Amino acid sequence: MGICTSKKKVDENIQIVPYKVCITAFIWNKESHNLFDFESNQAAKKEIELDFSATLSMVDNQIIALTDNEYVNKQIQLLRVDCQQEYMMLSGMSQKSDQRVWAILCNRPDFESLNEWELQKGDMIKLGRMKLQLLDFNYEIDALQQQKEQVENDDELQSKDLELEASQCRICFSKSGSLSNPLFSPCKCIGSMKYVHLNCLQIWIQQQIKIKNQQSSIQYIWKKMECEICKMSLQSTYTYQGQIFCIMQIQKPVVPYMIWKITSDDKSKEGIIQVMELLDKSEIKIGRVPDCDIKLKDISVSRSHAIIKVIKQEDNKYKLILQDNNSKFGTLLYAQSDKLLRYELQYQQKVLYQIGRVLLYVQLKEKGKSYNKQFTCYRHPNQIQVFPKKTINEQATIVPNFEKDKDNQLSFQTHNELNQDDIVINVKQI
Ligand SMILES: [Zn+2]
Ligand SMILES: [Zn+2]
């Protein structure tokens, strides 16, 4: 069969696990702003089985699995599959927005996935091209505990530690900072212009933004905020010691409330911090039509895209449950939590992931009873040339250079388990 010849070659460093990881991928072969059209029948299906740690990469519209010792030209790394003896973990390979791992909330007969998700502070969701991050929510009068909770920041606007150094503020010239008003360096400026107080910057920023009062919410709207001197874009939020600092002065309303940061994949669009009073609302609607509580003006967002249910629990605490509302492109959740990324043979949930224009299911399965040999087969497609990594000059930087396929009609063969005599664990013989 194909490339495998008589000689077996097995990478000694690969740890084989007692289960197999079965991956089913659907590749949408058009670039479409990283939206996946579920109704299209133009997605190719591809299946891969592994029983060792690997990185899933995309090469010429194919998905292949590479060990740490392998390399392919023009690969785009999608997903890391880490196989331990007892469990398997998935993780994203890129922080870039279009290559992150998103879990899809949807309720479709053809694509099964999570129906709902309990939102936590810091969670980021994506509706069409719009991204929303839950910066804060508060239903309890005692807010102190919540403020202590660590919040993960939107890594696109990368978190940067606010530096507490004995330096001078470029605006007020004072040299002292505090935990609530730190002196920090928000841009590339150096020397006497390097540091600024959070509060001093907030006052300056306040003149650059638009504030829009609506019925029960306030929107703080900004278009590209940049340092006047070095022209570097300023982030709307910074994280310091687990707390999110907003460079806009935001007035927190009375409890209960929630605060969202809303940005778009389209960088020319304005960004919004939306502060909402919830009053006694039990449902928050997100979508494109005017009667939505969070209104997103983008054609990629469905008219009534998603719903957040506010549920009071027995202990009088509240939880927020996010649900998709039969939207066209699904409601996506940035997959960071173990709940979404960790798999065990005994405990598995069905999550449909999206990475760029690829959808993926992952499942762990027991190895077949009739299957006595130690290894599962995995073979790279014939047309893809795999190189051992050790031969690559370590100085060389690998720049993925993905070219759009010229042929939209590409089809994919389903991977079959190979003959046991063919066995090759992902090491190409040269
Ligand atoms: Zn100052
Ligand atoms: Zn600057």
Side-chain angles (χ1 to χ4, degrees):
M1 282 185 95
I3 54 167
C4 303
T5 50
S6 56
K7 215 175 161 193
K8 291 179 191 176
K9 192 169 175 186
V10 171
D11 188 329
E12 302 290 337
N13 299 319
I14 294 177
Q15 194 192 14
I16 306 296
V17 290
Y19 52 83
K20 52 182 182 177
V21 183
C22 304
I23 297 152
T24 309
F26 302 88
I27 307 152
W28 165 240
N29 57 22
K30 285 185 182 162
E31 266 316 334
S32 54
H33 302 287
N34 298 304
L35 303 171
F36 193 97
D37 187 350
F38 290 91
E39 262 108 64
S40 152
N41 51 8
Q42 291 197 44
K45 187 175 169 186
K46 164 95 180 160
E47 288 175 5
I48 289 177
E49 288 186 359
L50 307 165
D51 58 358
F52 51 89
S53 297
T55 300
L56 295 190
S57 289
M58 192 149 162
V59 186
D60 296 338
N61 249 13
Q62 277 271 24
I63 299 222
I64 58 167
L66 297 170
T67 66
D68 295 340
N69 299 323
E70 294 174 318
Y71 167 67
V72 171
N73 281 318
K74 296 181 184 174
Q75 63 177 348
I76 295 179
Q77 295 186 322
L78 298 179
L79 186 71
R80 174 77 190 158
V81 180
D82 250 314
C83 295
Q84 306 292 332
Q85 293 297 311
E86 272 84 47
Y87 65 92
M88 184 276 292
M89 277 296 284
L90 300 174
S91 53
M93 298 300 295
S94 172
Q95 297 295 339
K96 279 192 350 212
S97 174
D98 55 346
Q99 280 162 43
R100 285 185 198 162
V101 182
W102 301 89
I104 301 182
L105 299 186
C106 69
N107 197 356
R108 317 178 70 95
D110 46 347
F111 287 101
E112 219 184 303
S113 189
L114 304 172
N115 286 330
E116 56 179 41
W117 175 256
E118 184 181 341
L119 286 168
Q120 306 292 330
K121 245 199 265 183
D123 275 353
M124 200 191 306
I125 61 176
K126 191 164 180 271
L127 286 70
R129 284 179 296 186
M130 304 298 288
K131 283 202 286 284
L132 291 84
Q133 188 182 22
L134 182 58
L135 295 184
D136 197 5
F137 72 93
N138 193 355
Y139 287 90
E140 332 295 338
I141 307 302
D142 177 18
L144 279 173
Q145 193 50 42
Q146 291 210 6
Q147 281 176 5
K148 280 181 191 159
E149 283 171 27
Q150 179 145 354
V151 181
E152 294 197 51
N153 197 11
D154 179 349
D155 46 22
E156 185 177 56
L157 301 170
Q158 255 189 357
S159 61
K160 186 171 175 179
D161 270 0
L162 311 184
E163 295 160 41
L164 277 172
E165 285 175 24
S167 310
Q168 198 174 37
C169 171
R170 69 167 85 147
I171 295 174
C172 72
F173 306 117
S174 155
K175 288 186 175 177
S176 59
S178 68
L179 277 176
S180 58
N181 183 26
L183 262 177
F184 74 116
S185 155
C187 59
K188 283 189 283 197
C189 287
I190 49 165
S192 61
M193 296 310 288
K194 184 168 178 182
Y195 294 98
V196 67
H197 282 117
L198 179 68
N199 291 353
C200 293
L201 186 65
Q202 281 174 334
I203 292 165
W204 180 77
I205 291 285
Q206 223 61 12
Q207 298 157 7
Q208 320 285 314
I209 59 172
K210 239 176 21 199
I211 298 175
K212 207 160 125 188
N213 273 294
Q214 289 165 326
Q215 227 169 23
S216 56
S217 71
I218 305 173
Q219 288 190 331
Y220 300 81
I221 304 165
W222 77 91
K223 275 218 159 141
K224 210 169 182 223
M225 292 179 289
E226 60 183 30
C227 169
E228 284 181 317
I229 304 156
C230 70
K231 302 292 174 202
M232 183 177 161
S233 298
L234 298 174
Q235 300 170 195
S236 58
T237 52
Y238 290 84
T239 302
Y240 179 61
Q241 294 196 348
Q243 285 200 52
I244 291 186
F245 288 90
C246 201
I247 59 166
M248 282 161 263
Q249 271 171 334
I250 284 178
Q251 290 177 0
K252 289 198 177 177
V254 288
V255 177
Y257 64 83
M258 64 195 333
I259 303 178
W260 288 92
K261 176 158 97 179
I262 304 168
T263 51
S264 171
D265 278 354
D266 179 354
K267 296 285 175 238
S268 66
K269 286 212 169 172
E270 58 201 6
I272 296 169
I273 301 268
Q274 180 155 338
V275 181
M276 302 171 68
E277 278 180 37
L278 294 171
L279 307 168
D280 51 359
K281 265 194 170 108
S282 61
E283 207 173 83
I284 292 142
K285 289 186 240 165
I286 314 176
R288 211 176 61 211
V289 289
D291 73 330
C292 286
D293 303 294
I294 302 177
K295 205 176 119 191
L296 303 171
K297 285 182 247 163
D298 193 287
I299 191 72
S300 63
V301 176
S302 294
R303 295 166 61 81
S304 176
H305 199 118
I307 293 167
I308 298 168
K309 294 200 164 142
V310 182
I311 295 168
K312 191 174 183 180
Q313 301 175 101
E314 282 175 8
D315 57 1
N316 281 335
K317 291 199 166 147
Y318 289 82
K319 58 180 181 181
L320 301 175
I321 303 293
L322 173 70
Q323 291 176 341
D324 181 61
N325 191 27
N326 292 318
S327 65
K328 183 168 166 61
F329 297 115
T331 297
L332 276 55
L333 172 72
Y334 184 26
Q336 291 174 294
S337 149
D338 276 13
K339 264 192 210 163
L340 294 168
L341 298 167
R342 185 182 158 119
Y343 285 73
E344 285 166 38
L345 203 50
Q346 288 76 21
Y347 173 75
Q348 297 188 47
Q349 53 181 341
K350 197 151 196 184
V351 183
L352 179 61
Y353 302 100
Q354 180 171 349
I355 310 164
R357 55 201 172 93
V358 178
L359 299 191
L360 285 168
Y361 281 119
V362 179
Q363 221 186 333
L364 304 197
K365 287 188 185 161
E366 281 187 52
K367 287 183 174 174
K369 297 271 185 295
S370 61
Y371 206 66
N372 292 326
K373 291 265 172 121
Q374 198 183 356
F375 306 124
T376 296
C377 300
Y378 174 77
R379 194 180 60 162
H380 302 297
N382 282 343
Q383 75 273 26
I384 293 174
Q385 247 202 321
V386 182
F387 306 99
K389 233 180 198 167
K390 52 193 170 219
T391 64
I392 297 170
N393 181 351
E394 294 202 345
Q395 299 297 313
T397 35
I398 299 158
V399 184
N401 176 16
F402 186 71
E403 287 176 331
K404 280 186 194 165
D405 54 293
K406 293 155 206 121
D407 182 4
N408 281 336
Q409 301 303 313
L410 281 180
S411 66
F412 296 90
Q413 282 163 0
T414 302
H415 165 75
N416 295 314
E417 283 195 357
L418 303 180
N419 215 316
Q420 285 171 18
D421 294 330
D422 275 348
I423 240 161
V424 172
I425 301 291
N426 250 11
V427 173
K428 194 175 167 79
Q429 299 182 50
I430 309 173

